[in-house]
């Protein structure tokens, strides 16, 4: 059975109810505790007041008893018969004297004679006669009592009129004395009444207080002398007396009591006091009705408040629950269902309206994001994500039907973009998209632009023949030049194909395999290629090669080779080109063409460049230490030139080996500059400012280099070896070399020729004014450990008798 929401503390409704009830219970409990404390405090005050009143009542009762006793004595003193008895009382036996007194008194006062000691004391304070034998002790107290009365000094007694308390033989008595005024008699009539518990019972009758007379000898414990309590209870309270306290707590069985200690008499080592008792429980019980009323009101208040908090919580939580449901729908992607609103003007209503505005905003943005996420904004075609989505939907809905995926990459598009500008490139892509759209054989087929100059085609219900036919149709269509803005553009492309289910049923796998086939088609320049497992094996080998290449750097498997450059006029070796070789533990010495292009593609070339520069700086330092002047040329890649921190990185490596900037010559290919001329120019200017010699490598094999050559801060041109090696037999190549040398010299640049393979080539280059040369005729690349010994042993060859004169004559 599902619990109500207001009982579930994980829900807002339950937390609201719990909070409200907790606050109410806290307030009510606090109020009850305060009231309870006040009631106890009021009870304490009331009980203390009752005890104080009882003290006064007891004093009044004792005084009243003393007056009554004095009245009896005065009655005896005024009785003529008693006076005659007193005149003859000397030697009268106690029994006879008592009998005489009984006959002289009214019957209502006879009990006083029976319960007390009455004595006649002569003026000289000797006992004449008495009703009890122990009267001698009372007579002995009379002189002091009379003196205390006359001097109003309490001393060892406390007097009340002509009355006093006395302790005789471990008992407490109230003494009353009156003078005998009859002529010829004199002396005193004295009455001693044993206190016992009579006045205490009267006090209990009048006030409801319990009390006990207590007697203590010296420092001994208090002992009950007379009490309204039974003997056990009287002994229990006597042991809890707190002297000096106004009112103190004590326990009588299970009942909580309050006691008031009242001292009455101190005589020598003896102390007489009275303990007044009031039941605190009974006094507190009188407030029971108030406590019960308060408790009932508290319970009723909690119930009413609980009901009100449940209703309030539901009023708050239900709209919020509705909004939470709406938020869950929004989170699940349902942006079409409006958020429910009750039209209220409170904060919940504001929140509902805000949710609805948010839903509408998300709906609009979701549509816009879908447009951006799955559609190419330039051509209006699906982008890569949109194409993958379409391909996945087709594959899931046509499990038994074949299909083909074609990827197409335009050739030379980057060159067109750089030369004609991005606007022209965008227009070209738009036109290509339209032409490809027209070539689709069916309306169920789809075309997408993956990125840059790459497109993809989904051929539904197609086999290998259909895919090859579409690829052939695209190639034939691209034979027609495209005319844009009075510019004619020749189109060509590499096309890769993958088939389903032959090459897989996963959309991303098919697309990646078609892309792999496209890259192979571009590499072979074969137009189109169908995916095969052998292509994928090559890809796996590349991944393995990258991992091994990283390990090679860390494990020290790379080797620095140096190829010398000679001054063609003097025959001196003035510099060398740094080349990297890989000494693989299993494959042996790996040629650079097997890993340098791969490093360029993956970006690992930056790590290799760093290694070569550091190794070259170390080699320079070694040569410099032996007094050899040497500059080492290091090749920089396109990715190196795009690194704006390159100058700082190179300087740090040189500083580590104590090398200067003139220790290196940095060689840059034309293509590296043309990939991003602005960034490359910025990097070259920083390197030039630091004093590095800069060289253009493979000059003459690129395009558009002359447009930038005059702007580049370079010092040297290197003529590509294809021209140098052919100039011995081809007059055209010789003229190109001569023109390049002249152009460079006119621009203030030195010239280095690559591919010097013969003495004739050396002689021709020297005659044409070329500054430096390098090639196998001079020396092959060698490990840098051997280079210094080779350099020290170098002698320029004898070039006399060279067959270069004929070529020079033909050049004029």
């Amino acid at each position: 059975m599902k619990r109500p929401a207001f009982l579930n503390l994980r829900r807002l409704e339950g937390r609201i109810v719990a909070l409200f009830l907790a606050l109410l219970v806290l307030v009510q409990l606090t109020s009850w505790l305060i009231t309870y404390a006040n009631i106890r405090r009021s009870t304490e005050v009331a009980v203390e007041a009752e005890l104080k009143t009882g003290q006064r009542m007891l004093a009044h009762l004792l005084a009243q008893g003393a007056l009554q006793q004095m009245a009896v004595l005065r009655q005896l003193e005024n009785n003529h018969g008693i006076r005659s008895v007193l005149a003859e009382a000397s030697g009268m036996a106690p029994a006879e004297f008592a009998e005489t007194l009984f006959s002289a008194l009214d019957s209502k006062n006879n009990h006083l004679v029976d319960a007390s000691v009455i004595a006649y004391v002569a003026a000289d304070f000797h006992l004449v006669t008495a009703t009890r034998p122990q009267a001698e002790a009372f007579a002995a107290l009379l002189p002091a009592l009379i003196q205390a009365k006359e001097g109003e000094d309490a001393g060892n007694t406390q007097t009340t009129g002509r009355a006093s308390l006395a302790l005789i033989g471990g008992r407490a008595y109230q003494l009353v004395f009156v003078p005998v005024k009859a002529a010829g008699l004199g002396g005193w009539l004295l009455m001693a009444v044993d206190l016992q518990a009579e006045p205490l019972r009267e006090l209990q009758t009048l006030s409801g207080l319990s009390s006990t007379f207590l007697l203590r000898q010296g420092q001994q414990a208090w002992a009950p002398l007379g009490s309204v309590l039974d003997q056990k209870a009287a002994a229990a309270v006597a042991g809890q007396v707190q002297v000096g306290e106004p009112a103190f707590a004590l326990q009588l069985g299970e009942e909580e009591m309050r006691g008031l200690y009242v001292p009455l008499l101190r005589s020598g080592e003896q102390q007489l006091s009275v303990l007044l008792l009031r039941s605190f429980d009974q006094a507190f019980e009188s407030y029971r009705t108030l406590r019960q009323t308060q408790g009932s009101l508290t319970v009723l208040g909690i119930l009413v408040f609980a009901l009100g908090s449940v209703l309030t919580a539901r009023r708050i939580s239900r709209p919020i629950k509705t909004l939470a449901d709406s938020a869950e729908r929004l989170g699940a992607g349902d942006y079409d269902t409006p958020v429910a609103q009750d039209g209220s003007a409170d904060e919940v209503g504001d929140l509902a309206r805000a949710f609805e505005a948010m839903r509408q905003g998300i709906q609009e943005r979701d549509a816009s994001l879908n447009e951006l996420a799955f559609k190419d904004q330039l051509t209006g075609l699906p982008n890569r994500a949109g194409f993958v989505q379409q391909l996945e939907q087709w594959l899931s809905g046509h499990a038994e039907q074949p299909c083909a995926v074609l990827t197409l990459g335009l050739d030379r598009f980057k060159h067109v973009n750089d030369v004609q500008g991005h606007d022209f490139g965008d227009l070209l892509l738009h036109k290509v998209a339209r032409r490809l759209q027209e070539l689709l054989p069916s309306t169920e087929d789809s075309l997408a632009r993956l990125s840059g100059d790459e497109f993809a085609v989904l051929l539904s219900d197609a086999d290998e023949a259909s895919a090859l036919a579409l690829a052939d149709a695209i190639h034939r269509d691209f034979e027609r030049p495209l005319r844009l803005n009075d510019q004619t553009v020749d189109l060509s492309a590499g096309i890769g194909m993958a088939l389903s289910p032959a090459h897989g049923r996963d959309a991303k796998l098919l697309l990646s395999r078609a892309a792999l086939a496209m890259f192979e088609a571009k590499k072979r320049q074969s137009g189109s290629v169908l995916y095969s497992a052998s292509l994928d094996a090559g890809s796996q080998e590349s991944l393995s090669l990258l991992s091994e290449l990283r390990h090679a750097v860390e494990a020290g498997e790379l080797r620095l080779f140096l190829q010398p450059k000679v001054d063609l006029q003097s025959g001196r070796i003035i510099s060398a080109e740094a080349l990297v070789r890989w000494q693989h533990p299993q494959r042996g010495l790996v040629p650079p063409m097997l890993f340098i292009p791969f490093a360029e593609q993956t970006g690992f070339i930056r790590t290799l460049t760093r290694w070569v520069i550091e190794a070259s700086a170390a080699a320079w330092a070694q040569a410099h230490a032996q007094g050899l002047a040497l500059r080492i040329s290091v090749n920089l890649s396109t990715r190196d030139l795009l690194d704006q921190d390159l100058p700082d990185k190179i300087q740090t490596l040189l500083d580590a080996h104590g090398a200067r900037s003139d220790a290196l010559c940095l060689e840059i290919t034309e293509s590296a500059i043309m990939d991003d001329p602005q960034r490359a120019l910025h990097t070259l200017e920083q390197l030039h400012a630091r004093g590095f010699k800069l060289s253009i490598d493979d000059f003459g094999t690129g395009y558009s280099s002359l447009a930038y050559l005059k702007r580049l801060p370079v010092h040297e041109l290197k003529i590509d070896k294809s021209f140098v090696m052919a100039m011995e037999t081809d007059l055209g190549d010789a003229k190109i070399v001569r023109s390049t040398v002249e152009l460079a010299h006119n621009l203030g640049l030195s010239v280095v020729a690559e591919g010097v393979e013969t003495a004739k080539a050396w002689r021709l280059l020297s005659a044409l004014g070329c500054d430096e040369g390098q090639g196998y005729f001079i020396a092959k690349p060698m490990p840098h450990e051997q280079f210094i010994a080779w350099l020290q042993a170098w002698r320029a060859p004898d070039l006399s008798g060279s067959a270069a004169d004929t070529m020079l004559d033909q050049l004029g």
Side-chain angles (χ1 to χ4, degrees), residues 32-46:
W32 189 88
L33 290 175
I34 292 173
T35 303
Y36 180 84
N38 287 333
I39 291 175
R40 283 192 67 90
R41 192 159 45 249
S42 298
T43 304
E44 294 277 6
V45 172

Side-chain angles (χ1 to χ4, degrees), residues 129-145:
T129 186
T131 60
R132 303 279 177 89
Q134 65 267 39
E136 190 68 38
F138 299 112
L141 295 175
L142 190 57
L145 294 177

